[in-house]
Protein backbone atom coordinates (compact mmCIF):
# COMPACT_ATOMS: atom_id res chain seq x y z
CA UNK A 1 0.00 0.00 0.00
CA UNK A 2 1.46 3.36 -1.08
CA UNK A 3 2.19 5.81 1.72
CA UNK A 4 2.55 9.57 1.58
CA UNK A 5 2.76 12.20 4.26
CA UNK A 6 -0.09 14.19 2.69
CA UNK A 7 -2.68 13.04 0.16
CA UNK A 8 -3.88 16.12 -1.73
CA UNK A 9 -7.20 15.71 -3.54
CA UNK A 10 -7.64 18.29 -6.29
CA UNK A 11 -5.08 19.92 -8.58
CA UNK A 12 -6.45 23.43 -8.92
CA UNK A 13 -4.36 26.40 -7.74
CA UNK A 14 -5.02 25.61 -4.06
CA UNK A 15 -3.89 21.98 -4.27
CA UNK A 16 -0.93 22.82 -6.48
CA UNK A 17 0.33 25.55 -4.15
CA UNK A 18 -0.10 23.26 -1.14
CA UNK A 19 1.91 20.56 -2.92
CA UNK A 20 4.67 23.01 -3.86
CA UNK A 21 4.99 24.49 -0.38
CA UNK A 22 5.01 21.09 1.32
CA UNK A 23 7.55 19.68 -1.14
CA UNK A 24 9.89 22.60 -0.55
CA UNK A 25 9.59 21.91 3.18
CA UNK A 26 10.59 18.28 2.68
CA UNK A 27 7.16 16.68 2.97
CA UNK A 28 6.26 13.71 0.77
CA UNK A 29 3.02 14.51 -1.07
CA UNK A 30 0.72 12.69 -3.44
CA UNK A 31 -1.67 14.81 -5.50
CA UNK A 32 -4.58 13.34 -7.46
CA UNK A 33 -7.27 14.87 -9.66
CA UNK A 34 -10.20 13.26 -11.43
CA UNK A 35 -9.88 15.43 -14.55
CA UNK A 36 -7.98 14.20 -17.59
CA UNK A 37 -5.96 17.40 -18.02
CA UNK A 38 -5.60 20.92 -16.64
CA UNK A 39 -8.33 23.39 -17.53
CA UNK A 40 -8.00 25.37 -20.73
CA UNK A 41 -10.45 28.09 -19.70
CA UNK A 42 -10.88 29.87 -16.38
CA UNK A 43 -13.01 32.25 -14.40
CA UNK A 44 -10.40 33.27 -11.81
CA UNK A 45 -8.19 36.09 -13.05
CA UNK A 46 -6.80 38.33 -10.33
CA UNK A 47 -3.63 37.66 -8.35
CA UNK A 48 -3.62 40.05 -5.41
CA UNK A 49 -0.61 41.81 -3.92
CA UNK A 50 -0.47 39.58 -0.83
CA UNK A 51 -0.31 36.45 -2.98
CA UNK A 52 2.54 37.96 -4.99
CA UNK A 53 4.37 38.75 -1.75
CA UNK A 54 4.00 35.19 -0.51
CA UNK A 55 4.98 33.74 -3.88
CA UNK A 56 8.47 35.13 -3.32
CA UNK A 57 8.96 32.15 -1.01
CA UNK A 58 8.69 29.85 -4.01
CA UNK A 59 10.49 32.14 -6.46
CA UNK A 60 7.21 32.38 -8.39
CA UNK A 61 6.49 36.09 -8.28
CA UNK A 62 8.65 37.25 -11.16
CA UNK A 63 7.23 34.57 -13.48
CA UNK A 64 3.63 35.45 -12.58
CA UNK A 65 4.22 39.17 -13.05
CA UNK A 66 6.08 38.68 -16.34
CA UNK A 67 3.39 36.46 -17.87
CA UNK A 68 0.38 38.45 -16.67
CA UNK A 69 -0.92 41.99 -16.95
CA UNK A 70 -0.74 44.78 -14.37
CA UNK A 71 -4.01 46.67 -13.92
CA UNK A 72 -3.21 50.21 -12.74
CA UNK A 73 -6.81 51.39 -12.17
CA UNK A 74 -10.53 50.58 -12.15
CA UNK A 75 -13.03 52.72 -14.06
CA UNK A 76 -16.75 52.97 -13.25
CA UNK A 77 -19.00 53.76 -16.23
CA UNK A 78 -22.41 55.46 -16.24
CA UNK A 79 -24.56 56.28 -19.28
CA UNK A 80 -21.93 55.12 -21.73
CA UNK A 81 -19.08 57.22 -20.32
CA UNK A 82 -16.41 56.63 -17.66
CA UNK A 83 -17.55 58.46 -14.51
CA UNK A 84 -14.86 57.58 -11.95
CA UNK A 85 -11.26 56.30 -12.11
CA UNK A 86 -9.67 54.72 -9.02
CA UNK A 87 -5.87 54.33 -9.45
CA UNK A 88 -4.16 51.45 -7.64
CA UNK A 89 -0.50 52.37 -8.10
CA UNK A 90 -0.78 55.76 -6.41
CA UNK A 91 -2.61 54.20 -3.46
CA UNK A 92 -0.39 51.21 -2.66
CA UNK A 93 3.11 52.25 -3.70
CA UNK A 94 4.30 52.66 -0.10
CA UNK A 95 2.44 49.59 1.20
CA UNK A 96 3.65 46.72 -0.99
CA UNK A 97 6.12 46.03 -3.79
CA UNK A 98 3.09 45.08 -5.92
CA UNK A 99 0.72 48.09 -5.90
CA UNK A 100 -1.61 46.84 -8.61
CA UNK A 101 -4.22 44.24 -9.42
CA UNK A 102 -2.48 41.58 -11.47
CA UNK A 103 -4.35 39.64 -14.14
CA UNK A 104 -3.05 36.11 -14.68
CA UNK A 105 -5.81 33.69 -15.77
CA UNK A 106 -6.23 30.54 -13.75
CA UNK A 107 -5.47 28.16 -16.62
CA UNK A 108 -2.08 29.81 -17.23
CA UNK A 109 -1.53 30.00 -13.49
CA UNK A 110 -2.12 26.27 -13.12
CA UNK A 111 0.28 25.43 -15.96
CA UNK A 112 3.03 27.44 -14.26
CA UNK A 113 2.44 25.68 -10.93
CA UNK A 114 2.39 22.26 -12.61
CA UNK A 115 5.70 22.99 -14.34
CA UNK A 116 7.26 23.99 -11.03
CA UNK A 117 5.93 20.85 -9.34
CA UNK A 118 7.29 18.61 -12.06
CA UNK A 119 10.67 20.34 -11.76
CA UNK A 120 10.88 19.12 -8.15
CA UNK A 121 9.78 15.60 -9.06
CA UNK A 122 6.07 15.67 -8.26
CA UNK A 123 3.55 14.63 -10.92
CA UNK A 124 -0.23 14.93 -10.75
CA UNK A 125 -2.07 11.63 -10.98
CA UNK A 126 -4.82 12.43 -13.49
CA UNK A 127 -8.07 10.54 -14.00
CA UNK A 128 -7.78 9.46 -10.37
CA UNK A 129 -10.80 10.04 -8.16
CA UNK A 130 -11.16 9.84 -4.41
CA UNK A 131 -13.94 7.33 -3.71
CA UNK A 132 -13.78 7.67 0.06
CA UNK A 133 -11.49 7.44 3.07
CA UNK A 134 -11.43 6.46 6.72
CA UNK A 135 -9.59 8.18 9.53
CA UNK A 136 -8.01 5.51 11.69
CA UNK A 137 -6.58 7.80 14.33
CA UNK A 138 -2.89 7.50 13.41
CA UNK A 139 -3.38 7.55 9.64
CA UNK A 140 -5.87 7.98 6.82
CA UNK A 141 -6.77 5.09 4.51
CA UNK A 142 -8.11 6.32 1.16
CA UNK A 143 -9.71 4.55 -1.76
CA UNK A 144 -8.81 5.88 -5.19
CA UNK A 145 -10.32 4.90 -8.53
CA UNK A 146 -8.21 5.18 -11.67
CA UNK A 147 -9.20 5.79 -15.27
CA UNK A 148 -9.85 2.12 -15.97
CA UNK A 149 -12.14 1.75 -12.96
CA UNK A 150 -9.58 -0.08 -10.88
CA UNK A 151 -9.61 0.77 -7.18
CA UNK A 152 -6.48 1.29 -5.13
CA UNK A 153 -6.07 1.66 -1.39
CA UNK A 154 -3.43 4.08 -0.13
CA UNK A 155 -2.24 5.44 3.19
CA UNK A 156 -1.41 8.98 4.27
CA UNK A 157 -0.70 10.77 7.51
CA UNK A 158 -3.20 13.50 6.55
CA UNK A 159 -5.62 14.22 3.71
CA UNK A 160 -6.20 17.68 2.22
CA UNK A 161 -9.46 18.33 0.41
CA UNK A 162 -8.76 20.84 -2.37
CA UNK A 163 -11.47 19.25 -4.48
CA UNK A 164 -13.82 22.16 -5.05
CA UNK A 165 -17.39 23.03 -4.22
CA UNK A 166 -18.57 19.42 -4.59
CA UNK A 167 -15.79 18.15 -2.34
CA UNK A 168 -15.76 14.43 -1.59
CA UNK A 169 -13.50 15.09 1.38
CA UNK A 170 -16.04 17.54 2.84
CA UNK A 171 -18.93 15.16 2.24
CA UNK A 172 -17.00 12.34 3.90
CA UNK A 173 -16.23 14.25 7.10
CA UNK A 174 -19.75 15.72 7.17
CA UNK A 175 -18.98 19.33 8.06
CA UNK A 176 -21.86 20.76 6.03
CA UNK A 177 -21.78 23.69 3.61
CA UNK A 178 -24.36 26.25 4.76
CA UNK A 179 -25.13 29.29 2.65
CA UNK A 180 -27.12 30.12 -0.46
CA UNK A 181 -27.03 30.75 -4.19
CA UNK A 182 -27.32 33.89 -6.31
CA UNK A 183 -30.27 33.82 -8.64
CA UNK A 184 -28.30 35.54 -11.38
CA UNK A 185 -26.60 33.53 -14.10
CA UNK A 186 -22.97 34.54 -14.63
CA UNK A 187 -21.30 34.49 -18.02
CA UNK A 188 -17.67 34.73 -19.05
CA UNK A 189 -16.39 35.59 -22.53
CA UNK A 190 -12.78 35.67 -23.66
CA UNK A 191 -12.72 38.11 -26.57
CA UNK A 192 -10.50 40.01 -28.96
CA UNK A 193 -11.84 43.54 -29.22
CA UNK A 194 -11.19 47.26 -29.52
CA UNK A 195 -12.60 50.42 -27.96
CA UNK A 196 -12.10 52.79 -25.03
CA UNK A 197 -12.55 49.99 -22.49
CA UNK A 198 -9.64 48.07 -24.03
CA UNK A 199 -6.96 50.34 -22.57
CA UNK A 200 -5.39 47.88 -20.14
CA UNK A 201 -7.49 48.98 -17.16
CA UNK A 202 -10.53 47.40 -15.47
CA UNK A 203 -13.92 48.80 -16.49
CA UNK A 204 -17.25 48.23 -14.68
CA UNK A 205 -20.68 49.35 -15.92
CA UNK A 206 -23.05 50.63 -13.21
CA UNK A 207 -26.01 51.39 -15.46
CA UNK A 208 -28.11 48.30 -14.89
CA UNK A 209 -28.73 45.68 -12.25
CA UNK A 210 -26.96 43.12 -14.43
CA UNK A 211 -23.27 43.26 -13.49
CA UNK A 212 -20.79 43.77 -16.34
CA UNK A 213 -17.02 44.20 -16.19
CA UNK A 214 -14.22 44.24 -18.77
CA UNK A 215 -10.98 42.73 -17.46
CA UNK A 216 -7.82 43.31 -19.52
CA UNK A 217 -5.64 40.34 -20.46
CA UNK A 218 -2.01 40.29 -21.50
CA UNK A 219 -1.64 41.19 -25.19
CA UNK A 220 -3.16 43.95 -27.28
CA UNK A 221 -6.93 43.94 -27.66
CA UNK A 222 -7.61 40.92 -25.43
CA UNK A 223 -10.16 41.05 -22.63
CA UNK A 224 -12.37 38.94 -20.42
CA UNK A 225 -16.01 40.03 -20.14
CA UNK A 226 -17.79 38.93 -16.95
CA UNK A 227 -21.46 39.68 -16.48
CA UNK A 228 -24.79 38.46 -15.21
CA UNK A 229 -28.31 38.03 -16.56
CA UNK A 230 -31.41 37.73 -14.42
CA UNK A 231 -34.37 37.77 -16.87
CA UNK A 232 -35.79 34.86 -18.84
CA UNK A 233 -32.38 34.34 -20.46
CA UNK A 234 -31.09 33.00 -17.12
CA UNK A 235 -33.37 29.99 -17.59
CA UNK A 236 -31.52 29.09 -20.79
CA UNK A 237 -28.07 28.53 -19.26
CA UNK A 238 -27.35 25.50 -21.43
CA UNK A 239 -28.23 27.23 -24.70
CA UNK A 240 -27.22 30.84 -23.98
CA UNK A 241 -24.66 32.28 -26.42
CA UNK A 242 -22.53 35.41 -26.46
CA UNK A 243 -24.89 36.92 -29.01
CA UNK A 244 -27.66 36.79 -26.36
CA UNK A 245 -25.71 39.02 -23.94
CA UNK A 246 -23.41 41.10 -26.15
CA UNK A 247 -25.58 44.20 -26.78
CA UNK A 248 -24.92 45.81 -23.44
CA UNK A 249 -21.14 45.49 -23.68
CA UNK A 250 -21.23 46.96 -27.16
CA UNK A 251 -23.58 49.85 -26.33
CA UNK A 252 -22.70 50.78 -22.74
CA UNK A 253 -18.95 50.24 -22.74
CA UNK A 254 -18.43 50.70 -26.47
CA UNK A 255 -16.63 47.37 -26.85
CA UNK A 256 -16.07 46.41 -30.47
CA UNK A 257 -15.91 42.60 -30.25
CA UNK A 258 -14.06 41.10 -33.21
CA UNK A 259 -13.65 37.52 -32.08
CA UNK A 260 -15.04 35.37 -29.25
CA UNK A 261 -12.46 32.76 -28.24
CA UNK A 262 -14.74 31.06 -25.73
CA UNK A 263 -17.95 31.66 -23.82
CA UNK A 264 -19.30 29.97 -20.69
CA UNK A 265 -22.07 30.37 -18.11
CA UNK A 266 -22.22 29.35 -14.46
CA UNK A 267 -24.09 29.88 -11.20
CA UNK A 268 -22.40 31.24 -8.05
CA UNK A 269 -22.99 30.28 -4.44
CA UNK A 270 -21.99 31.83 -1.12
CA UNK A 271 -21.14 29.19 1.45
CA UNK A 272 -18.64 28.41 4.22
CA UNK A 273 -18.21 24.95 5.69
CA UNK A 274 -18.71 24.57 9.43
CA UNK A 275 -15.20 23.25 10.06
CA UNK A 276 -11.91 23.43 8.15
CA UNK A 277 -10.44 20.49 10.05
CA UNK A 278 -11.75 17.22 11.37
CA UNK A 279 -9.06 15.01 12.88
CA UNK A 280 -6.67 14.16 10.02
CA UNK A 281 -8.70 15.76 7.23
CA UNK A 282 -8.52 19.40 6.12
CA UNK A 283 -10.58 21.51 3.72
CA UNK A 284 -9.07 24.28 1.61
CA UNK A 285 -10.19 26.64 -1.17
CA UNK A 286 -13.59 26.10 -2.76
CA UNK A 287 -14.07 22.94 -0.72
CA UNK A 288 -14.21 25.18 2.35
CA UNK A 289 -15.68 28.45 1.06
CA UNK A 290 -17.21 29.84 -2.12
CA UNK A 291 -18.54 33.32 -2.79
CA UNK A 292 -19.23 36.01 -5.35
CA UNK A 293 -16.35 36.86 -7.70
CA UNK A 294 -16.62 40.51 -6.56
CA UNK A 295 -13.13 41.75 -5.77
CA UNK A 296 -11.22 38.81 -7.23
CA UNK A 297 -10.71 37.13 -3.84
CA UNK A 298 -11.58 33.45 -4.37
CA UNK A 299 -8.43 31.93 -5.83
CA UNK A 300 -6.22 34.11 -3.62
CA UNK A 301 -8.06 32.97 -0.51
CA UNK A 302 -7.58 29.31 -1.43
CA UNK A 303 -3.87 29.93 -1.99
CA UNK A 304 -3.77 31.64 1.41
CA UNK A 305 -5.36 28.54 2.96
CA UNK A 306 -2.64 26.37 1.43
CA UNK A 307 0.22 28.54 2.65
CA UNK A 308 -1.23 28.78 6.16
CA UNK A 309 -1.60 25.02 6.44
CA UNK A 310 1.59 23.88 4.69
CA UNK A 311 4.17 25.02 7.24
CA UNK A 312 2.08 23.71 10.11
CA UNK A 313 1.78 20.24 8.56
CA UNK A 314 5.52 20.21 7.87
CA UNK A 315 6.32 21.18 11.48
CA UNK A 316 4.06 18.50 12.97
CA UNK A 317 5.29 15.77 10.62
CA UNK A 318 8.91 16.63 11.44
CA UNK A 319 8.20 16.47 15.18
CA UNK A 320 8.89 20.19 15.63
CA UNK A 321 5.40 20.95 16.98
CA UNK A 322 2.49 19.08 18.58
CA UNK A 323 -0.61 18.11 16.63
CA UNK A 324 -2.42 20.96 18.40
CA UNK A 325 -0.66 23.38 16.05
CA UNK A 326 -2.91 22.14 13.25
CA UNK A 327 -6.00 23.40 15.10
CA UNK A 328 -4.77 26.94 14.44
CA UNK A 329 -5.45 26.44 10.71
CA UNK A 330 -9.21 26.56 11.20
CA UNK A 331 -8.96 29.18 13.94
CA UNK A 332 -7.06 31.54 11.63
CA UNK A 333 -8.77 30.91 8.31
CA UNK A 334 -12.46 30.30 8.99
CA UNK A 335 -13.12 33.76 10.42
CA UNK A 336 -11.54 35.39 7.38
CA UNK A 337 -13.58 33.19 5.04
CA UNK A 338 -16.82 34.15 6.78
CA UNK A 339 -16.00 37.86 6.64
CA UNK A 340 -15.02 37.56 3.00
CA UNK A 341 -18.26 35.85 2.04
CA UNK A 342 -20.25 38.53 3.88
CA UNK A 343 -18.28 41.38 2.27
CA UNK A 344 -18.40 40.10 -1.30
CA UNK A 345 -22.10 39.37 -0.85
CA UNK A 346 -22.75 43.00 0.18
CA UNK A 347 -20.72 44.36 -2.75
CA UNK A 348 -22.39 42.11 -5.27
CA UNK A 349 -25.84 42.85 -3.85
CA UNK A 350 -25.17 46.59 -4.19
CA UNK A 351 -24.01 46.30 -7.80
CA UNK A 352 -26.94 44.09 -8.83
CA UNK A 353 -29.79 45.50 -6.71
CA UNK A 354 -33.00 46.16 -8.66
CA UNK A 355 -35.42 49.06 -8.49
CA UNK A 356 -35.46 52.81 -9.05
CA UNK A 357 -33.70 53.66 -5.77
CA UNK A 358 -30.92 51.16 -6.46
CA UNK A 359 -30.48 52.61 -9.97
CA UNK A 360 -30.24 56.15 -8.58
CA UNK A 361 -27.62 55.09 -6.02
CA UNK A 362 -25.53 53.28 -8.62
CA UNK A 363 -25.75 55.78 -11.46
CA UNK A 364 -26.04 59.17 -9.71
CA UNK A 365 -24.83 58.92 -6.13
CA UNK A 366 -21.96 56.41 -6.36
CA UNK A 367 -20.11 58.22 -9.20
CA UNK A 368 -20.12 61.39 -7.06
CA UNK A 369 -19.53 59.89 -3.61
CA UNK A 370 -16.78 57.43 -4.57
CA UNK A 371 -14.39 60.01 -6.10
CA UNK A 372 -14.99 62.30 -3.11
CA UNK A 373 -14.25 59.48 -0.69
CA UNK A 374 -11.17 58.42 -2.63
CA UNK A 375 -9.80 61.94 -2.29
CA UNK A 376 -8.98 60.99 1.30
CA UNK A 377 -5.77 59.00 1.70
CA UNK A 378 -7.24 56.89 4.50
CA UNK A 379 -10.16 55.79 2.30
CA UNK A 380 -7.88 54.98 -0.64
CA UNK A 381 -5.53 53.00 1.60
CA UNK A 382 -8.39 51.08 3.25
CA UNK A 383 -9.76 50.07 -0.15
CA UNK A 384 -6.40 48.91 -1.43
CA UNK A 385 -5.47 47.08 1.75
CA UNK A 386 -8.76 45.20 1.72
CA UNK A 387 -8.79 44.17 -1.93
CA UNK A 388 -5.08 43.29 -1.99
CA UNK A 389 -5.48 41.15 1.18
CA UNK A 390 -2.51 42.85 2.86
CA UNK A 391 -4.83 43.83 5.69
CA UNK A 392 -5.58 40.16 6.47
CA UNK A 393 -4.26 39.33 9.94
CA UNK A 394 -4.50 36.67 12.62
CA UNK A 395 -4.76 38.98 15.64
CA UNK A 396 -6.41 37.18 18.50
CA UNK A 397 -5.43 33.82 17.03
CA UNK A 398 -3.87 31.03 19.11
CA UNK A 399 -0.38 31.66 17.70
CA UNK A 400 -0.37 35.45 18.00
CA UNK A 401 1.09 37.35 20.95
CA UNK A 402 2.14 40.85 21.95
CA UNK A 403 2.39 44.23 20.27
CA UNK A 404 5.25 46.63 19.54
CA UNK A 405 4.57 49.96 17.90
CA UNK A 406 1.46 49.57 15.77
CA UNK A 407 2.33 45.97 14.87
CA UNK A 408 0.57 43.15 16.72
CA UNK A 409 1.16 39.44 16.83
CA UNK A 410 -0.77 37.97 13.89
CA UNK A 411 -0.18 40.96 11.59
CA UNK A 412 1.44 40.92 8.18
CA UNK A 413 4.90 42.39 8.60
CA UNK A 414 4.88 45.97 7.25
CA UNK A 415 6.86 46.31 4.04
CA UNK A 416 9.75 48.79 4.11
CA UNK A 417 11.90 49.34 0.98
CA UNK A 418 15.48 50.56 1.23
CA UNK A 419 17.79 51.35 -1.71
CA UNK A 420 16.41 48.69 -4.02
CA UNK A 421 16.02 46.08 -1.28
CA UNK A 422 13.36 45.50 1.35
CA UNK A 423 12.77 43.79 4.67
CA UNK A 424 10.80 41.01 2.95
CA UNK A 425 13.90 39.47 1.37
CA UNK A 426 14.78 37.27 4.39
CA UNK A 427 11.22 35.89 4.42
CA UNK A 428 11.93 33.79 1.32
CA UNK A 429 13.65 31.18 3.52
CA UNK A 430 10.33 29.87 4.94
CA UNK A 431 11.75 29.54 8.46
CA UNK A 432 11.10 31.06 11.84
CA UNK A 433 13.20 34.21 12.14
CA UNK A 434 13.61 37.29 14.29
CA UNK A 435 13.63 40.87 12.99
CA UNK A 436 14.94 43.85 14.91
CA UNK A 437 14.71 47.38 13.55
CA UNK A 438 17.43 49.32 15.34
CA UNK A 439 19.85 47.54 17.70
CA UNK A 440 19.72 43.94 18.91
CA UNK A 441 21.14 43.20 22.34
CA UNK A 442 24.02 40.77 22.76
CA UNK A 443 21.68 38.58 24.85
CA UNK A 444 19.21 38.36 21.99
CA UNK A 445 21.93 37.56 19.49
CA UNK A 446 23.25 34.82 21.76
CA UNK A 447 19.77 33.32 22.28
CA UNK A 448 19.08 33.24 18.53
CA UNK A 449 22.47 31.66 17.82
CA UNK A 450 22.02 28.98 20.48
CA UNK A 451 18.54 28.10 19.19
CA UNK A 452 19.49 28.29 15.51
CA UNK A 453 16.97 31.07 14.82
CA UNK A 454 18.05 33.53 12.08
CA UNK A 455 18.35 37.09 13.39
CA UNK A 456 17.97 39.98 10.92
CA UNK A 457 18.87 43.43 12.17
CA UNK A 458 17.93 46.50 10.12
CA UNK A 459 19.45 49.91 10.75
CA UNK A 460 16.75 52.17 12.15
CA UNK A 461 15.17 54.51 9.63
CA UNK A 462 12.31 56.96 9.74
CA UNK A 463 10.50 54.70 7.24
CA UNK A 464 10.37 51.96 9.86
CA UNK A 465 8.60 54.26 12.28
CA UNK A 466 6.21 55.42 9.55
CA UNK A 467 5.34 51.79 8.84
CA UNK A 468 4.39 51.25 12.49
CA UNK A 469 7.46 49.31 13.65
CA UNK A 470 9.01 49.98 17.07
CA UNK A 471 12.69 50.69 17.51
CA UNK A 472 14.76 47.82 19.02
CA UNK A 473 11.67 45.63 19.47
CA UNK A 474 11.59 41.91 18.73
CA UNK A 475 9.43 40.64 15.88
CA UNK A 476 9.26 36.85 15.63
CA UNK A 477 8.19 35.86 12.09
CA UNK A 478 6.45 32.59 11.30
CA UNK A 479 7.49 30.50 8.27
CA UNK A 480 4.53 32.00 6.36
CA UNK A 481 5.93 35.51 7.06
CA UNK A 482 3.22 36.64 9.51
CA UNK A 483 4.25 38.12 12.86
CA UNK A 484 3.91 35.54 15.62
CA UNK A 485 5.24 37.64 18.48
CA UNK A 486 5.85 41.37 18.82
CA UNK A 487 7.69 42.40 21.98
CA UNK A 488 8.91 45.95 22.70
CA UNK A 489 11.45 44.91 25.38
CA UNK A 490 13.96 43.43 22.95
CA UNK A 491 14.76 40.75 25.54
CA UNK A 492 15.03 37.07 24.53
CA UNK A 493 12.87 36.02 27.50
CA UNK A 494 9.81 36.76 25.35
CA UNK A 495 11.02 34.31 22.71
CA UNK A 496 11.70 31.67 25.31
CA UNK A 497 8.19 32.03 26.75
CA UNK A 498 6.63 31.80 23.29
CA UNK A 499 8.64 28.70 22.37
CA UNK A 500 7.81 26.97 25.64
CA UNK A 501 4.10 27.85 25.57
CA UNK A 502 3.53 26.56 22.06
CA UNK A 503 6.12 23.75 22.22
CA UNK A 504 7.39 24.72 18.78
CA UNK A 505 10.97 24.20 17.64
CA UNK A 506 12.03 27.50 16.09
CA UNK A 507 15.29 26.18 14.66
CA UNK A 508 15.98 26.91 10.99
CA UNK A 509 17.64 23.49 10.62
CA UNK A 510 15.43 20.74 9.24
Amino acid sequence: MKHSDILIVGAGPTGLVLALWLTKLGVKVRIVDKTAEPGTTSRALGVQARTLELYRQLDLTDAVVKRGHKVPAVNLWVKGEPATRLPFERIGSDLTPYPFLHIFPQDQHERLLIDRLEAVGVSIERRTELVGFTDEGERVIARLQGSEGREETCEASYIAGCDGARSTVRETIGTGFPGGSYRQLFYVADVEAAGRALDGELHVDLDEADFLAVFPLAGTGRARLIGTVRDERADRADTLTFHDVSDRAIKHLKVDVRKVNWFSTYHVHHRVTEHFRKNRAFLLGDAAHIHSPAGGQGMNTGIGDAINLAWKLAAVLAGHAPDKLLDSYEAERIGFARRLVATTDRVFSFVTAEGRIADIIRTRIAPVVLPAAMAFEAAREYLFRTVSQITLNYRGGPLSAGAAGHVHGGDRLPWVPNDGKDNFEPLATMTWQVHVYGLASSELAAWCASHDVPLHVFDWRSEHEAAGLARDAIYLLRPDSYVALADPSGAPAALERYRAEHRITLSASR
Side-chain angles (χ1 to χ4, degrees), residues 276-289:
F276 281 29
R277 179 194 187 190
K278 186 172 182 180
N279 300 324
R280 291 185 170 265
F282 299 86
L283 299 174
L284 302 84
D286 287 355
H289 46 77

Side-chain angles (χ1 to χ4, degrees), residues 177-182 268-272 290-292 341 344-345:
F177 210 26
S181 304
Y182 294 108
V268 171
H269 311 272
H270 45 96
R271 303 178 183 276
V272 181
I290 51 176
H291 46 81
S292 157
V341 168
T344 56
D345 183 59

Side-chain angles (χ1 to χ4, degrees), residues 243-291:
H243 177 74
D244 295 318
V245 299
S246 61
D247 282 356
R248 185 172 161 208
I250 294 170
K251 294 177 181 177
H252 290 212
L253 296 179
K254 300 178 174 63
V255 177
D256 178 14
V257 178
R258 296 170 179 177
K259 182 181 179 182
V260 179
N261 293 319
W262 62 270
F263 175 82
S264 179
T265 61
Y266 61 102
H267 284 281
V268 171
H269 311 272
H270 45 96
R271 303 178 183 276
V272 181
T273 188
E274 294 168 346
H275 294 287
F276 281 29
R277 179 194 187 190
K278 186 172 182 180
N279 300 324
R280 291 185 170 265
F282 299 86
L283 299 174
L284 302 84
D286 287 355
H289 46 77
I290 51 176
H291 46 81

Side-chain angles (χ1 to χ4, degrees), residues 157-375:
S157 298
Y158 298 95
I159 187 170
C162 307
D163 47 346
R166 296 181 175 86
S167 170
T168 300
V169 176
R170 189 187 64 245
E171 291 300 316
T172 302
I173 64 178
T175 62
F177 210 26
S181 304
Y182 294 108
R183 67 182 183 278
Q184 296 92 340
L185 178 71
F186 281 75
Y187 66 84
V188 182
D190 192 329
V191 302
E192 296 175 22
R196 292 178 64 183
L198 275 293
D199 60 356
E201 298 186 354
L202 171 60
H203 296 264
V204 179
D205 181 27
L206 296 179
D207 274 344
E208 295 182 10
D210 289 341
F211 174 76
L212 173 63
V214 179
F215 289 82
L217 301 177
T220 304
R222 295 189 60 234
R224 181 74 50 82
L225 306 184
I226 299 179
T228 63
V229 292
R230 70 170 74 235
D231 53 25
E232 67 280 355
R233 293 171 299 171
D235 299 325
R236 298 190 286 114
D238 295 335
T239 60
L240 204 69
T241 67
F242 180 71
H243 177 74
D244 295 318
V245 299
S246 61
D247 282 356
R248 185 172 161 208
I250 294 170
K251 294 177 181 177
H252 290 212
L253 296 179
K254 300 178 174 63
V255 177
D256 178 14
V257 178
R258 296 170 179 177
K259 182 181 179 182
V260 179
N261 293 319
W262 62 270
F263 175 82
S264 179
T265 61
Y266 61 102
H267 284 281
V268 171
H269 311 272
H270 45 96
R271 303 178 183 276
V272 181
T273 188
E274 294 168 346
H275 294 287
F276 281 29
R277 179 194 187 190
K278 186 172 182 180
N279 300 324
R280 291 185 170 265
F282 299 86
L283 299 174
L284 302 84
D286 287 355
H289 46 77
I290 51 176
H291 46 81
S292 157
Q297 303 294 301
M299 181 175 65
N300 294 273
T301 304
I303 291 170
D305 293 342
I307 296 168
N308 183 285
L309 180 60
W311 72 269
K312 297 171 182 177
L313 284 169
V316 171
L317 287 164
H320 295 307
D323 182 81
K324 183 181 177 182
L325 175 66
L326 299 176
D327 289 337
S328 67
Y329 167 65
E330 175 178 312
E332 292 181 342
R333 297 301 296 179
I334 197 168
F336 172 65
R338 287 169 174 162
R339 290 192 301 273
L340 179 63
V341 168
T343 300
T344 56
D345 183 59
R346 285 194 296 268
V347 172
F348 183 71
S349 296
F350 162 73
V351 173
T352 61
E354 297 181 86
R356 177 169 174 75
I357 294 177
D359 287 342
I360 290 173
I361 293 174
R362 262 197 315 272
T363 62
R364 299 182 187 179
I365 297 176
V368 175
V369 171
L370 284 175
M374 291 302 107

Side-chain angles (χ1 to χ4, degrees), residues 11-12 33-41 110-111 114 124-128:
D33 195 286
K34 62 183 179 181
T35 62
E37 58 186 14
T40 56
T41 61
E110 287 184 12
R111 286 197 293 272
I114 291 167
I124 300 163
E125 299 178 45
R126 295 281 177 188
R127 296 189 178 93
T128 303

Side-chain angles (χ1 to χ4, degrees), residues 30 49 54 97 112 147 168 186-187 193 245 275 353 400 413 421 459 480 502:
R30 185 177 183 186
L54 293 166
L112 173 62
S147 58
T168 300
F186 281 75
Y187 66 84
V245 299
H275 294 287
S400 304
L413 181 70
K421 296 184 178 181
D459 292 338
D480 62 355
H502 296 284

